[in-house]
Amino acid sequence: MSDEKTEYTISDLAKEFEITSRSIRHYEDEKLITPLRRGVHRIYNTRDRVRLQLILRGKRLGFSLAEIKEIIDLYGVEGEQKQTERLLELIRLRRDSLKQQLKDIKYLLNEFDVLEEKLTANHQPNNLTS
Amino acid sequence: MSDEKTEYTISDLAKEFEITSRSIRHYEDEKLITPLRRGVHRIYNTRDRVRLQLILRGKRLGFSLAEIKEIIDLYGVEGEQKQTERLLELIRLRRDSLKQQLKDIKYLLNEFDVLEEKLTANHQPNNLTS
DNA sequence: CTCAAAGTTTACGTTTGCGTAAAGGTAAGC
DNA sequence: GCTTACCTTTACGCAAACGTAAACTTTGAG
């Protein structure tokens, strides 16, 4: 019924997310994903795919693989008091830095707009003055 | 008349931006800042301070020092056609990635809010049920 | 059966961004 | 002139996140 693929090879995912297979294997070495095996080959399912998305999002935001692992691991648990505390702590810590990043980005995007306008303005003025 | 300091030592800036002097010297090694010298000691002025801010903002956004240098260098020039083109290209490239980051951050901050609420909700339910 | 394409493990190499001594020069107060 | 706090250069060290090469194995097509 569904159009969605439910199984992927390593190069399927590599292509889709525009990363190398080496990277994906590396995330596995670091225990961030653990795909099933069919014989010796890795088989990724939808859950694995989502995890990979999470990893890449985390990376784009400047988290280290270790931090991403910690968050992913804690995220799945929910129940244990200590781990909940820890997750909340990580969230609060990160929230400030993320809010700072947000400011930075807005600032920079605006700078870019201004600058681009300035640059493109005197970029083609020749058909008026020549 | 003005209250603004116009001269800083390396540790002034280190303290202000909460980084190490080593980092600042490293940025100099990589040609990102070039403070004056009084004898052998580095003297930073307001321009240098602004540059340092730029560097740190760039870093928070995931730029490499090399990229930051390229941008800063191009930023100052304006005039040369090729460099203007290059800067515009860099801007466009980065804009997309920054917009993606912006999405990521908003997504994650929202996730955090939801999660935190969920976690703090059943964090102290004992005084009702016990 | 054979060959190519893709997958696998192992392991050393590389880049980035500083940390961290080591070993000493300098400026200011007393 | 001595101490103390801060500055300097030089240089080796290191963790993170893969790149890359070597040397197979597996699978699918023909």
Side-chain angles (χ1 to χ4, degrees), chain A residues 41-95:
Chain A
H41 290 129
R42 293 168 174 82
I43 303 295
Y44 299 84
N45 60 26
T46 304
R47 244 180 79 77
D48 295 323
R49 220 191 72 129
V50 169
R51 283 206 157 211
L52 192 50
Q53 282 184 331
L54 279 175
I55 294 170
L56 296 179
R57 177 153 40 224
K59 288 207 57 189
R60 284 194 299 263
L61 297 178
F63 289 78
S64 73
L65 292 186
E67 290 172 312
I68 295 172
K69 174 175 163 49
E70 189 174 5
I71 292 180
I72 288 182
D73 287 354
L74 289 177
Y75 202 95
V77 176
E78 59 177 309
E80 304 292 342
Q81 189 83 350
K82 276 272 178 62
Q83 284 172 317
T84 296
E85 280 300 328
R86 176 67 179 139
L87 184 47
L88 283 174
E89 188 189 338
L90 282 175
I91 288 174
R92 289 190 193 107
L93 277 176
R94 273 301 161 174
R95 176 140 45 200

Side-chain angles (χ1 to χ4, degrees), chain B residues 11 25 37 41-42:
Chain B
S11 47
R25 290 196 197 97
R37 300 283 179 136
H41 291 132
R42 294 167 173 83

